[in-house]
Amino acid sequence: MPQAAASLDLARTARLCRALADENRLRIIEMLGAGERCVCELTVALDLGQSLLSHHLKTLKDAGLVTDRREGRWVYYTLSCDTLDDLGGAIEALAPAVGAGRSEDCCK
């Protein structure tokens, strides 16, 4: 992979990790794992104020981790499984290969 593409992938991975680096956002992702949810359901289940929940949902949406759709006055949120799969692959690629140990020069 060219250096520019690798840096872009790392930048995207970092952005996704930052979006997930909050307990409330992880709780939202966990709830959406069971399927689409109305914002009103999320508000009640997570016991968050509307403003704080909106902030968290915007962060997740801007990162591409969730999508939304409007139906009347309600907004429904769904996980973006492709983005989560991409993130899982990127994290997996960072793991050392099976049987790989430290290099001889490491940590001296």
Side-chain angles (χ1 to χ4, degrees), residues 4 7 11-12 18 21 23 29-30 33-34 37 39-40 53 57 61 67 72 75 77-78 88 94-95 98 108:
S7 295
R12 181 175 186 233
R18 278 192 301 273
E23 185 178 342
I29 294 292
E30 183 178 48
R37 295 282 185 257
V39 71
C40 60
L53 179 60
L57 288 167
K61 185 177 173 187
T67 59
V75 179
Y77 288 88
T78 306
L94 293 172
V98 175
K108 286 186 178 181

Side-chain angles (χ1 to χ4, degrees), residues 2-106:
Q3 182 65 30
S7 295
L8 182 62
D9 289 343
L10 289 175
R12 181 175 186 233
T13 300
R15 190 179 86 245
L16 293 171
C17 288
R18 278 192 301 273
L20 292 172
D22 180 273
E23 185 178 342
N24 287 317
R25 290 194 286 270
L26 288 173
R27 291 170 59 206
I28 292 167
I29 294 292
E30 183 178 48
M31 282 192 67
L32 294 177
E36 182 180 71
R37 295 282 185 257
C38 176
V39 71
C40 60
E41 291 178 76
L42 294 170
T43 302
V44 171
L46 299 171
D47 193 31
L48 295 175
Q50 185 273 332
S51 178
L52 182 57
L53 179 60
S54 290
H55 165 74
H56 288 310
L57 288 167
K58 181 180 182 339
T59 299
L60 293 171
K61 185 177 173 187
D62 288 349
L65 290 161
V66 301
T67 59
D68 65 349
R69 70 176 181 85
R70 184 169 294 279
E71 188 175 303
R73 60 182 268 210
W74 299 111
V75 179
Y76 293 84
Y77 288 88
T78 306
L79 283 180
S80 175
C81 295
D82 289 343
T83 303
L84 287 171
D85 288 343
D86 291 348
L87 178 59
I91 290 172
E92 191 174 301
L94 293 172
V98 175
R102 289 188 199 163
S103 73
E104 296 288 325
D105 298 326
C106 179

